[in-house]
Amino acid sequence: MTPYPPFAVKKEQSLSGTIYEKIKDKIIIGEYPPNTPLLERSLAEDFGVSRTPVREALKRLLMDDLITWEERRMALVSTINEKDVRELFVMRQMIEPFAIRRTFSVGEPKLLAGFLAPIINEMKELKNDHVGLMKKDMDFHSTIINSLQIQMLSQMWQNISDKMTRIAIYSIHAKRKPESIIEEHNKVIDALWNCKLEDALACIENHHANILTAYKIKHDDYM
């Protein structure tokens, strides 16, 4: 098995799919903060479309848990709570180590390192753009998962990565120095390049722990 870039999950190209992606991105980057009402009529006017594709897009966002339906069929952007964050990290702690172990089992850690290296360079260029940096950070991890070419896993991961990116942009980035984030990712690449499985796993575990600590600190600031 030889992975190939860009490891992208195929996305629906319909009008409703396009609207879905646009609304989702606005939720992820915080342009639509938690509890923001999403009205079909207003969204249709904003995007210059009828209400039908907007309605279909909102149904998909509901399935992703990025919005909730309130009384009178009004959609609200979902909130972010500690329980959701912890569950997301449980999923990450299950999936990412599995992906790394499988990469080693098929003998391709150096190949994966080669695909990850350019992402680090892009992250360095985005040090002063926290939204761009957080998105590129998750691109790094998505490349690890999607390189396995397991479609069902990639689809599951897409939902996790969207939510993690939102959490990072919304509540973590201020507690994490860009240089530290980049260095943690560099260590993963070094471990892959040097074919050191245990080091790679330790780097991922440490990275997860640092992100969760940053979230807890940010959460405590609001207490």
Side-chain angles (χ1 to χ4, degrees), residues 117-146:
I119 300 177
I120 290 292
N121 293 331
E122 294 177 55
M123 291 175 70
K124 290 177 180 177
E125 295 176 359
L126 294 167
K127 286 194 298 184
N128 297 318
D129 174 5
H130 79 270
V131 171
L133 178 60
M134 293 299 99
K135 284 187 170 184
K136 195 57 60 176
D137 179 326
M138 196 50 62
D139 283 350
F140 182 98
H141 297 279
S142 293
T143 297
I144 295 174
I145 306 305
N146 295 332

Side-chain angles (χ1 to χ4, degrees), residues 131-191:
V131 171
L133 178 60
M134 293 299 99
K135 284 187 170 184
K136 195 57 60 176
D137 179 326
M138 196 50 62
D139 283 350
F140 182 98
H141 297 279
S142 293
T143 297
I144 295 174
I145 306 305
N146 295 332
S147 68
L148 300 181
Q149 300 181 62
I150 302 175
Q151 186 175 3
M152 292 181 66
L153 180 61
S154 292
Q155 290 172 342
M156 180 189 301
W157 177 258
Q158 182 64 52
N159 185 260
I160 293 170
S161 66
D162 287 341
K163 291 178 179 177
M164 284 302 311
T165 304
R166 182 187 180 205
I167 290 166
I169 292 172
Y170 186 73
S171 62
I172 294 178
H173 73 89
K175 299 299 180 182
R176 297 273 284 148
K177 293 182 179 179
E179 294 79 9
S180 298
I181 296 171
I182 292 169
E183 179 57 25
E184 288 170 17
H185 290 76
N186 262 325
K187 289 180 178 179
V188 174
I189 292 178
D190 288 344

Side-chain angles (χ1 to χ4, degrees), residues 103-104 107-111 113 188-200:
T103 297
F104 274 83
E108 294 181 335
K110 288 190 176 183
L111 184 61
V188 174
I189 292 178
D190 288 344
L192 292 169
W193 184 254
N194 292 302
C195 299
K196 295 183 177 180
L197 172 58
E198 295 306 318
D199 286 357

Side-chain angles (χ1 to χ4, degrees), residues 78-125:
S78 63
T79 58
I80 299 172
N81 60 59
E82 188 172 358
K83 177 178 179 293
D84 293 337
V85 173
R86 291 187 178 279
E87 288 184 358
L88 283 170
F89 271 97
V90 168
M91 296 299 295
R92 286 191 70 171
Q93 290 162 353
M94 292 169 62
I95 293 173
E96 290 194 70
F98 163 78
I100 288 176
R101 288 182 185 279
R102 186 167 177 83
T103 297
F104 274 83
S105 72
V106 297
E108 294 181 335
K110 288 190 176 183
L111 184 61
L112 178 56
F115 289 134
L116 294 173
I119 300 177
I120 290 292
N121 293 331
E122 294 177 55
M123 291 175 70
K124 290 177 180 177
E125 295 176 359

Side-chain angles (χ1 to χ4, degrees), residues 137 207 212:
D137 179 326
H207 182 58
L212 189 54

